[in-house]
Coordinates of all heavy atoms in Angstrom, one line a residue:
M318 N -22.2 8.2 -1.6 CA -22.0 7.1 -0.6 C -21.9 7.7 0.7 O -21.3 8.8 0.9 CB -20.7 6.4 -1.0 CG -20.4 5.1 -0.2 SD -18.9 4.4 -0.7 CE -19.5 2.7 -0.9
R319 N -22.5 7.1 1.7 CA -22.5 7.7 3.1 C -21.1 7.5 3.7 O -20.3 6.6 3.4 CB -23.5 6.9 3.9 CG -24.9 7.2 3.5 CD -25.8 6.5 4.5 NE -27.1 7.0 4.4 CZ -28.1 6.4 5.0 NH1 -27.9 5.4 5.7 NH2 -29.3 6.9 4.8
F320 N -20.8 8.4 4.6 CA -19.5 8.4 5.3 C -19.3 7.1 6.1 O -18.2 6.6 6.1 CB -19.4 9.7 6.3 CG -18.1 9.8 6.9 CD1 -17.0 10.1 6.1 CD2 -17.9 9.6 8.3 CE1 -15.7 10.2 6.7 CE2 -16.7 9.7 8.8 CZ -15.6 10.0 8.1
G321 N -20.3 6.6 6.7 CA -20.2 5.3 7.4 C -19.8 4.2 6.6 O -19.0 3.3 6.9
N322 N -20.4 4.1 5.4 CA -20.0 3.1 4.4 C -18.6 3.2 4.0 O -17.9 2.2 3.8 CB -20.9 3.1 3.2 CG -22.4 2.8 3.5 OD1 -22.6 2.2 4.6 ND2 -23.3 3.1 2.6
V323 N -18.1 4.4 3.8 CA -16.7 4.6 3.4 C -15.8 4.2 4.5 O -14.8 3.5 4.3 CB -16.4 6.1 3.1 CG1 -15.0 6.4 2.9 CG2 -17.2 6.5 1.9
L324 N -16.1 4.5 5.8 CA -15.3 4.0 6.9 C -15.3 2.5 7.0 O -14.3 1.9 7.3 CB -15.8 4.6 8.2 CG -15.5 6.1 8.5 CD1 -16.2 6.5 9.8 CD2 -14.0 6.3 8.5
M325 N -16.4 1.8 6.7 CA -16.4 0.4 6.7 C -15.6 -0.2 5.7 O -14.9 -1.2 5.9 CB -17.9 -0.2 6.6 CG -18.7 0.1 7.9 SD -20.3 -0.7 8.0 CE -20.9 -0.8 6.3
V326 N -15.6 0.4 4.5 CA -14.7 -0.2 3.4 C -13.3 0.0 3.7 O -12.4 -0.8 3.5 CB -15.1 0.5 2.0 CG1 -14.1 0.2 1.0 CG2 -16.5 0.1 1.6
V327 N -12.9 1.2 4.2 CA -11.5 1.5 4.5 C -11.1 0.6 5.7 O -10.0 0.0 5.6 CB -11.4 3.0 4.9 CG1 -10.0 3.3 5.6 CG2 -11.6 3.9 3.7
G328 N -11.9 0.4 6.7 CA -11.6 -0.5 7.8 C -11.4 -1.9 7.3 O -10.4 -2.6 7.7
G329 N -12.3 -2.4 6.4 CA -12.1 -3.8 5.8 C -10.8 -3.9 5.1 O -10.2 -4.9 5.1
A330 N -10.5 -2.9 4.3 CA -9.3 -2.9 3.5 C -8.0 -2.9 4.5 O -7.1 -3.7 4.2 CB -9.1 -1.7 2.6
L331 N -8.1 -2.2 5.6 CA -7.0 -2.2 6.5 C -6.8 -3.6 7.2 O -5.7 -4.1 7.4 CB -7.2 -1.2 7.6 CG -6.9 0.2 7.1 CD1 -7.3 1.2 8.2 CD2 -5.4 0.4 6.7
V332 N -8.0 -4.2 7.5 CA -8.0 -5.6 8.1 C -7.4 -6.6 7.1 O -6.6 -7.4 7.4 CB -9.4 -6.0 8.5 CG1 -9.4 -7.5 8.8 CG2 -9.9 -5.2 9.7
L333 N -7.7 -6.5 5.8 CA -7.2 -7.4 4.8 C -5.7 -7.2 4.6 O -4.9 -8.2 4.6 CB -7.9 -7.1 3.4 CG -7.4 -7.9 2.2 CD1 -7.7 -9.4 2.5 CD2 -8.1 -7.4 1.0
I334 N -5.2 -5.9 4.6 CA -3.8 -5.7 4.5 C -3.1 -6.2 5.7 O -2.0 -6.8 5.6 CB -3.5 -4.2 4.2 CG1 -4.0 -3.8 2.9 CG2 -2.0 -3.8 4.4 CD1 -4.1 -2.2 2.6
G335 N -3.7 -6.0 6.9 CA -3.0 -6.5 8.1 C -2.9 -8.0 8.1 O -1.9 -8.6 8.6
A336 N -4.0 -8.7 7.6 CA -3.9 -10.2 7.5 C -2.8 -10.6 6.5 O -2.1 -11.6 6.8 CB -5.3 -10.7 7.1
L337 N -2.7 -9.9 5.4 CA -1.6 -10.3 4.4 C -0.2 -10.1 5.0 O 0.7 -10.9 4.8 CB -1.8 -9.4 3.2 CG -3.0 -9.7 2.3 CD1 -3.1 -8.7 1.2 CD2 -3.0 -11.2 1.8
V338 N -0.1 -9.0 5.8 CA 1.2 -8.8 6.4 C 1.5 -9.9 7.5 O 2.6 -10.4 7.6 CB 1.3 -7.4 7.0 CG1 2.5 -7.2 7.9 CG2 1.3 -6.3 6.0
R339 N 0.5 -10.2 8.3 CA 0.6 -11.2 9.3 C 1.0 -12.6 8.8 O 1.8 -13.3 9.4 CB -0.7 -11.2 10.1 CG -0.7 -12.2 11.2 CD -0.3 -11.6 12.5 NE -0.6 -12.6 13.5 CZ 0.1 -12.7 14.6 NH1 1.1 -11.8 14.8 NH2 -0.2 -13.5 15.5
L340 N 0.4 -12.9 7.6 CA 0.7 -14.2 7.0 C 2.0 -14.2 6.2 O 2.4 -15.2 5.8 CB -0.5 -14.5 6.0 CG -1.8 -14.8 6.7 CD1 -2.9 -15.0 5.7 CD2 -1.7 -16.1 7.6
G341 N 2.6 -13.0 6.1 CA 3.9 -12.9 5.4 C 3.8 -12.9 3.9 O 4.8 -13.1 3.2
L342 N 2.7 -12.6 3.4 CA 2.5 -12.5 2.0 C 3.0 -11.2 1.4 O 3.0 -11.0 0.1 CB 1.0 -12.8 1.6 CG 0.5 -14.1 2.0 CD1 -1.0 -14.2 1.7 CD2 1.2 -15.2 1.3
L343 N 3.3 -10.2 2.2 CA 3.8 -8.9 1.7 C 5.3 -8.7 2.2 O 5.8 -7.6 2.3 CB 3.0 -7.8 2.2 CG 1.6 -7.7 1.6 CD1 0.8 -6.5 2.2 CD2 1.6 -7.5 0.2
S344 N 6.0 -9.8 2.4 CA 7.4 -9.7 2.9 C 8.3 -9.2 1.8 O 9.4 -8.7 2.1 CB 7.9 -11.1 3.4 OG 7.8 -12.0 2.4
W345 N 7.9 -9.3 0.6 CA 8.7 -8.8 -0.5 C 8.7 -7.3 -0.6 O 9.6 -6.7 -1.1 CB 8.2 -9.4 -1.9 CG 6.8 -9.0 -2.1 CD1 5.7 -9.8 -1.7 CD2 6.2 -7.9 -2.7 NE1 4.5 -9.2 -2.1 CE2 4.8 -8.0 -2.7 CE3 6.7 -6.7 -3.3 CZ2 3.9 -7.1 -3.2 CZ3 5.9 -5.8 -3.8 CH2 4.5 -6.0 -3.8
F346 N 7.7 -6.6 0.0 CA 7.5 -5.2 -0.1 C 8.6 -4.6 0.8 O 8.7 -4.9 2.0 CB 6.1 -4.8 0.4 CG 5.8 -3.3 0.1 CD1 5.5 -3.0 -1.2 CD2 5.8 -2.4 1.1 CE1 5.2 -1.6 -1.5 CE2 5.5 -1.1 0.7 CZ 5.3 -0.7 -0.5
G347 N 9.4 -3.7 0.2 CA 10.5 -3.1 0.9 C 11.8 -3.8 0.6 O 12.9 -3.3 1.1
N348 N 11.8 -4.9 -0.1 CA 13.0 -5.6 -0.4 C 13.2 -5.7 -1.9 O 13.8 -6.7 -2.4 CB 13.0 -7.0 0.2 CG 13.0 -6.9 1.7 OD1 13.7 -6.1 2.3 ND2 12.2 -7.8 2.3
L349 N 12.6 -4.8 -2.7 CA 12.7 -4.9 -4.1 C 14.0 -4.3 -4.6 O 14.6 -3.4 -4.0 CB 11.5 -4.1 -4.7 CG 10.1 -4.6 -4.4 CD1 9.1 -3.6 -4.9 CD2 9.9 -5.9 -5.1
P350 N 14.4 -4.7 -5.8 CA 15.6 -4.0 -6.4 C 15.3 -2.6 -6.6 O 14.2 -2.2 -7.2 CB 15.7 -4.8 -7.8 CG 15.0 -6.0 -7.7 CD 13.9 -5.8 -6.7
G351 N 16.2 -1.7 -6.3 CA 16.0 -0.3 -6.4 C 15.7 0.4 -5.1 O 15.7 1.6 -4.9
D352 N 15.3 -0.4 -4.0 CA 15.2 0.1 -2.7 C 16.6 0.3 -2.1 O 17.4 -0.7 -2.1 CB 14.4 -0.8 -1.8 CG 12.9 -0.9 -2.2 OD1 12.5 0.0 -2.9 OD2 12.2 -1.8 -1.8
I353 N 16.9 1.4 -1.6 CA 18.3 1.8 -1.2 C 18.4 1.5 0.3 O 17.6 2.1 1.1 CB 18.7 3.2 -1.6 CG1 18.6 3.3 -3.1 CG2 20.0 3.5 -1.1 CD1 18.7 4.8 -3.6
R354 N 19.4 0.8 0.7 CA 19.7 0.6 2.2 C 21.2 1.0 2.3 O 22.0 0.5 1.7 CB 19.5 -0.8 2.6 CG 18.1 -1.4 2.6 CD 18.1 -2.8 3.0 NE 16.8 -3.4 2.8 CZ 15.9 -3.4 3.8 NH1 16.1 -2.9 4.9 NH2 14.7 -3.9 3.5
I355 N 21.4 1.9 3.3 CA 22.7 2.3 3.6 C 22.9 2.1 5.1 O 22.1 2.6 5.9 CB 23.0 3.8 3.3 CG1 22.8 4.0 1.8 CG2 24.4 4.2 3.7 CD1 22.8 5.4 1.4
E356 N 23.8 1.2 5.5 CA 24.0 0.9 6.9 C 25.5 1.2 7.3 O 26.4 0.8 6.6 CB 23.6 -0.5 7.2 CG 22.2 -0.8 7.0 CD 21.8 -2.2 7.4 OE1 22.6 -2.9 8.1 OE2 20.7 -2.7 7.0
S357 N 25.7 1.8 8.4 CA 27.0 1.9 9.0 C 26.9 1.5 10.4 O 25.9 1.1 10.9 CB 27.5 3.4 8.8 OG 26.8 4.3 9.6
D358 N 28.0 1.7 11.2 CA 28.0 1.3 12.6 C 27.1 2.2 13.4 O 26.5 1.6 14.3 CB 29.4 1.5 13.2 CG 30.4 0.5 12.5 OD1 30.0 -0.5 12.1 OD2 31.6 0.8 12.5
S359 N 26.9 3.4 13.1 CA 26.1 4.3 13.9 C 24.7 4.7 13.3 O 24.0 5.3 14.0 CB 26.9 5.5 14.3 OG 27.2 6.2 13.1
S360 N 24.5 4.4 12.1 CA 23.2 4.8 11.5 C 22.8 3.9 10.4 O 23.5 3.1 9.8 CB 23.4 6.2 10.9 OG 24.3 6.2 9.9
R361 N 21.5 4.0 10.1 CA 20.8 3.2 9.0 C 20.0 4.2 8.2 O 19.3 5.0 8.8 CB 20.0 2.1 9.5 CG 20.7 1.0 10.2 CD 19.7 0.0 10.7 NE 20.4 -1.0 11.5 CZ 19.8 -1.9 12.2 NH1 18.5 -2.0 12.2 NH2 20.5 -2.8 12.9
V362 N 20.0 4.0 6.9 CA 19.2 4.9 6.0 C 18.5 3.9 5.1 O 19.1 3.0 4.5 CB 19.9 5.9 5.2 CG1 19.1 6.6 4.3 CG2 20.7 6.8 6.2
F363 N 17.2 4.0 4.9 CA 16.4 3.1 4.0 C 15.5 4.1 3.2 O 14.8 4.8 3.6 CB 15.5 2.2 4.8 CG 14.6 1.4 3.9 CD1 15.2 0.5 2.9 CD2 13.3 1.4 4.0 CE1 14.4 -0.3 2.1 CE2 12.5 0.6 3.2 CZ 13.0 -0.2 2.3
I364 N 15.7 4.0 1.8 CA 15.0 4.8 0.9 C 14.3 3.8 -0.1 O 14.9 3.3 -1.0 CB 15.9 5.7 0.1 CG1 16.8 6.5 1.0 CG2 15.1 6.6 -0.8 CD1 17.9 7.3 0.4
P365 N 12.9 3.6 0.2 CA 12.2 2.6 -0.6 C 11.7 3.1 -1.9 O 10.5 3.3 -2.1 CB 11.1 2.2 0.3 CG 10.8 3.5 1.1 CD 12.2 4.1 1.3
I366 N 12.5 3.4 -2.9 CA 12.1 4.1 -4.1 C 11.2 3.1 -4.9 O 10.1 3.5 -5.3 CB 13.4 4.5 -5.0 CG1 14.2 5.6 -4.2 CG2 13.0 5.0 -6.4 CD1 15.5 5.9 -4.9
T367 N 11.6 2.0 -5.2 CA 10.9 1.0 -6.0 C 9.6 0.6 -5.3 O 8.5 0.6 -6.0 CB 11.7 -0.2 -6.4 OG1 12.9 0.2 -6.9 CG2 11.0 -1.1 -7.4
S368 N 9.6 0.4 -4.1 CA 8.4 0.0 -3.3 C 7.4 1.1 -3.4 O 6.2 0.8 -3.5 CB 8.8 -0.3 -1.9 OG 9.6 -1.5 -1.8
M369 N 7.8 2.3 -3.3 CA 6.8 3.4 -3.3 C 6.3 3.7 -4.7 O 5.1 4.1 -4.8 CB 7.5 4.7 -2.8 CG 7.8 4.7 -1.3 SD 6.3 4.5 -0.3 CE 6.3 2.7 0.1
I370 N 7.1 3.3 -5.7 CA 6.5 3.4 -7.1 C 5.4 2.3 -7.3 O 4.4 2.6 -7.9 CB 7.7 3.3 -8.1 CG1 8.5 4.5 -8.1 CG2 7.1 3.0 -9.5 CD1 9.8 4.4 -8.9
V371 N 5.7 1.1 -6.8 CA 4.7 0.0 -6.9 C 3.5 0.4 -6.1 O 2.3 0.2 -6.6 CB 5.3 -1.3 -6.4 CG1 4.3 -2.3 -6.2 CG2 6.4 -1.7 -7.3
A372 N 3.6 1.0 -4.9 CA 2.5 1.4 -4.1 C 1.7 2.5 -4.8 O 0.4 2.5 -4.8 CB 2.9 1.8 -2.7
S373 N 2.4 3.4 -5.4 CA 1.7 4.5 -6.1 C 0.9 4.1 -7.3 O -0.2 4.5 -7.5 CB 2.8 5.6 -6.5 OG 2.2 6.6 -7.3
V374 N 1.5 3.2 -8.1 CA 0.8 2.7 -9.3 C -0.4 1.9 -8.8 O -1.5 2.0 -9.4 CB 1.7 1.8 -10.1 CG1 1.0 1.0 -11.2 CG2 2.8 2.7 -10.8
A375 N -0.3 1.0 -7.8 CA -1.4 0.2 -7.3 C -2.5 1.1 -6.8 O -3.7 0.9 -7.1 CB -0.9 -0.8 -6.2
L376 N -2.2 2.1 -6.0 CA -3.2 3.0 -5.4 C -3.9 3.8 -6.5 O -5.1 4.1 -6.5 CB -2.6 3.9 -4.3 CG -2.3 3.2 -3.0 CD1 -1.6 4.1 -2.1 CD2 -3.6 2.6 -2.4
T377 N -3.1 4.3 -7.5 CA -3.7 5.0 -8.6 C -4.7 4.2 -9.4 O -5.8 4.7 -9.7 CB -2.6 5.5 -9.6 OG1 -1.7 6.4 -8.8 CG2 -3.1 6.3 -10.7
L378 N -4.3 2.9 -9.7 CA -5.3 2.1 -10.4 C -6.5 1.8 -9.6 O -7.6 1.8 -10.1 CB -4.6 0.7 -10.7 CG -3.5 0.8 -11.8 CD1 -2.8 -0.6 -11.9 CD2 -4.1 1.2 -13.1
L379 N -6.3 1.6 -8.3 CA -7.5 1.3 -7.4 C -8.4 2.5 -7.3 O -9.6 2.4 -7.4 CB -7.0 1.0 -6.0 CG -8.0 0.7 -4.9 CD1 -8.7 -0.7 -5.3 CD2 -7.4 0.6 -3.6
V380 N -7.9 3.7 -7.2 CA -8.7 5.0 -7.1 C -9.4 5.2 -8.4 O -10.6 5.6 -8.4 CB -7.9 6.1 -6.7 CG1 -8.6 7.4 -6.9 CG2 -7.4 6.0 -5.2
N381 N -8.7 5.0 -9.5 CA -9.3 5.2 -10.8 C -10.5 4.2 -11.1 O -11.6 4.6 -11.6 CB -8.3 5.1 -12.0 CG -7.5 6.4 -12.0 OD1 -7.9 7.5 -11.7 ND2 -6.2 6.2 -12.5
V382 N -10.3 2.9 -10.7 CA -11.3 1.9 -10.9 C -12.5 2.3 -10.0 O -13.7 2.2 -10.4 CB -10.8 0.5 -10.6 CG1 -11.9 -0.5 -10.5 CG2 -9.8 0.1 -11.7
A383 N -12.2 2.6 -8.7 CA -13.3 2.9 -7.8 C -14.0 4.2 -8.2 O -15.3 4.3 -8.2 CB -12.8 3.1 -6.4
G384 N -13.3 5.2 -8.7 CA -13.9 6.4 -9.2 C -14.8 6.2 -10.4 O -15.9 6.8 -10.5
S385 N -14.4 5.4 -11.3 CA -15.2 5.1 -12.5 C -16.4 4.3 -12.1 O -17.5 4.4 -12.7 CB -14.4 4.4 -13.6 OG -14.1 3.1 -13.1
F386 N -16.4 3.4 -11.1 CA -17.5 2.7 -10.6 C -18.6 3.6 -10.0 O -19.7 3.5 -10.3 CB -17.0 1.6 -9.6 CG -18.2 0.8 -9.1 CD1 -18.8 -0.1 -9.8 CD2 -18.5 1.0 -7.7 CE1 -19.9 -0.9 -9.2 CE2 -19.6 0.3 -7.1 CZ -20.2 -0.6 -7.9
F387 N -18.1 4.5 -9.2 CA -19.1 5.4 -8.5 C -19.5 6.5 -9.3 O -20.5 7.1 -9.0 CB -18.4 5.9 -7.2 CG -18.3 4.8 -6.1 CD1 -17.0 4.5 -5.7 CD2 -19.4 4.2 -5.6 CE1 -16.9 3.5 -4.7 CE2 -19.2 3.2 -4.7 CZ -18.0 2.8 -4.2
R388 N -18.8 6.9 -10.4 CA -19.2 8.0 -11.2 C -20.3 7.6 -12.1 O -21.1 8.4 -12.5 CB -18.0 8.3 -12.1 CG -18.1 9.7 -12.7 CD -16.8 10.1 -13.5 NE -15.6 10.0 -12.7 CZ -14.5 9.4 -13.0 NH1 -14.4 8.7 -14.1 NH2 -13.5 9.3 -12.2
G389 N -20.5 6.3 -12.3 CA -21.6 5.8 -13.2 C -23.0 5.9 -12.5 O -24.0 5.9 -13.1
R390 N -23.0 6.1 -11.2 CA -24.3 6.1 -10.4 C -24.9 7.5 -10.4 O -24.4 8.5 -10.4 CB -24.1 5.6 -9.0 CG -23.8 4.1 -9.1 CD -23.8 3.5 -7.8 NE -23.6 2.1 -7.9 CZ -23.7 1.3 -6.9 NH1 -23.9 1.7 -5.7 NH2 -23.5 0.0 -7.1

C-alpha cells in the first residue's frame, strides 16, 4: 500500500473519531468503572486503567483484522 493511501486512511479515521467526540458519542470513555480519579484541594490525578484496556483491545483487534486483510494480497 502506498504511503499516501495510508495517510488518507489515518486522516479519515481521525476525522471520524473527531466527529464521534464532537457529537458526544464517546462521552463514556474515561468514565468507566476502574478509572481512578483522586482529587484534593491542590491537585488532581486521573489514571484511566479500564479505558486504556478497552482502547488496547479495540486497537489490537483493528490491527489484526487490517493485517490479515492486507496479508492476503
Side-chain angles (χ1 to χ4, degrees):
M318 188 179 230
R319 292 182 167 172
F320 184 67
N322 292 344
V323 172
L324 283 178
M325 288 191 326
V326 169
V327 169
L331 287 174
V332 168
L333 179 64
I334 292 169
L337 291 174
V338 169
R339 178 92 170 149
L340 293 172
L342 297 176
L343 292 178
S344 62
W345 56 269
F346 192 76
N348 295 319
L349 295 173
D352 291 344
I353 300 171
R354 292 180 190 268
I355 302 171
E356 296 183 18
S357 67
D358 293 336
S359 61
S360 65
R361 293 181 188 171
V362 177
F363 176 60
I364 306 170
I366 295 173
T367 307
S368 294
M369 290 301 99
I370 290 172
V371 169
S373 176
V374 168
L376 288 174
T377 299
L378 289 174
L379 181 69
V380 167
N381 285 329
V382 168
S385 66
F386 176 73
F387 290 117
R388 201 174 301 127
R390 292 187 175 188

